[in-house]
Amino acid sequence: MIAFDLVCSHGHKFECWFKDSRSFEEHKSIGIIHCPVCNDHRVEKAISTFAIKKYSDRREEKEGKKEEKINPSPDYQALQVITEYVNKNFEDVGLDFAKEALKIHFGDSKKRNIKGMALPDEEKVLQEEGVPFFKIPLLKHLDN
Ligand SMILES: [Zn+2]
C-alpha cells in the first residue's frame, strides 16, 4: 500500500491509499478519485512530507538493521504529537530529503533523523532502495 497526498484543482489537500503508483494513475484515469471537500475529480499528487528514522539505538545496532515502524493514524491529535516529536527531534533538510536519505542509507552521511519533502518520483527511488521512511501529512493543511 502507498499513501499519496493529493490536491484538487481548488487546492484542497487530502490523502489517498493505493495498491501502488500505477494504481493511482488507473484510478485517476477513470475518474473515480474525487476531492472529499468539493467532489472535484481534477486531482494531482502533491509534494509529500517525509521523515526518516535513524538506524541506531544500541539494541538495533547489535541486531543489525532493524527498523522501528511508525504508522501514524490519521487522527488529528496523534498527528499533532507526531509532528511535535518530528519537529523537535528531526533535522529539516527540506527538498534535499531524498538525496540525504540515500546518503545516510549508503553510509555516505552521518546516521541521524531527518525530515523534509520528496517528490513522488523520489519516493519511488527510496522505496526501491529499501530506505526506511514514514510519511506524515502537513498539519497546516489540516487546519484549513
Ligand atoms: Zn476540493
Side-chain angles (χ1 to χ4, degrees):
M1 293 293 280
I2 182 168
F4 286 120
D5 290 323
L6 303 177
V7 62
C8 80
S9 67
H10 297 105
H12 302 125
K13 211 160 174 277
F14 57 101
E15 192 177 66
C16 246
W17 288 84
F18 300 95
K19 204 168 78 218
D20 51 38
S21 192
R22 224 187 50 206
S23 157
F24 165 75
E25 298 300 337
E26 282 168 9
H27 283 70
K28 197 184 139 195
S29 67
I30 55 175
I32 59 171
I33 304 172
H34 59 90
C35 169
V37 182
C38 66
N39 236 12
D40 190 349
H41 287 261
R42 286 162 299 172
V43 296
E44 286 301 332
K45 279 185 234 176
I47 289 183
S48 305
T49 306
F50 292 91
I52 188 168
K53 196 168 181 308
K54 72 177 173 188
Y55 285 92
S56 54
D57 69 28
R58 215 161 280 158
R59 181 178 52 80
E60 284 177 359
E61 268 174 11
K62 227 187 286 168
E63 292 171 12
K65 201 176 83 179
K66 194 175 165 199
E67 274 311 301
E68 195 182 317
K69 273 256 157 50
I70 299 178
N71 295 312
S73 104
D75 177 66
Y76 181 81
Q77 284 196 328
L79 272 176
Q80 267 184 320
V81 172
I82 291 162
T83 304
E84 267 172 40
Y85 175 83
V86 166
N87 285 342
K88 238 185 263 169
N89 297 289
F90 286 62
E91 181 187 330
D92 192 354
V93 295
L95 288 168
D96 283 336
F97 177 80
K99 215 167 64 188
E100 198 58 34
L102 283 172
K103 276 207 229 163
I104 292 172
H105 187 64
F106 291 114
D108 294 333
S109 201
K110 202 171 130 258
K111 279 177 184 172
R112 64 199 196 279
N113 295 319
I114 60 170
K115 63 167 182 167
M117 286 179 286
L119 298 165
D121 284 352
E122 294 174 323
E123 177 183 0
K124 225 177 113 203
V125 173
L126 293 178
Q127 282 177 334
E128 281 166 5
E129 295 296 341
V131 176
F133 64 84
F134 62 91
K135 217 166 132 177
I136 53 173
L138 290 168
L139 269 186
K140 61 181 174 205
H141 291 288
L142 293 179
D143 285 331
N144 284 347

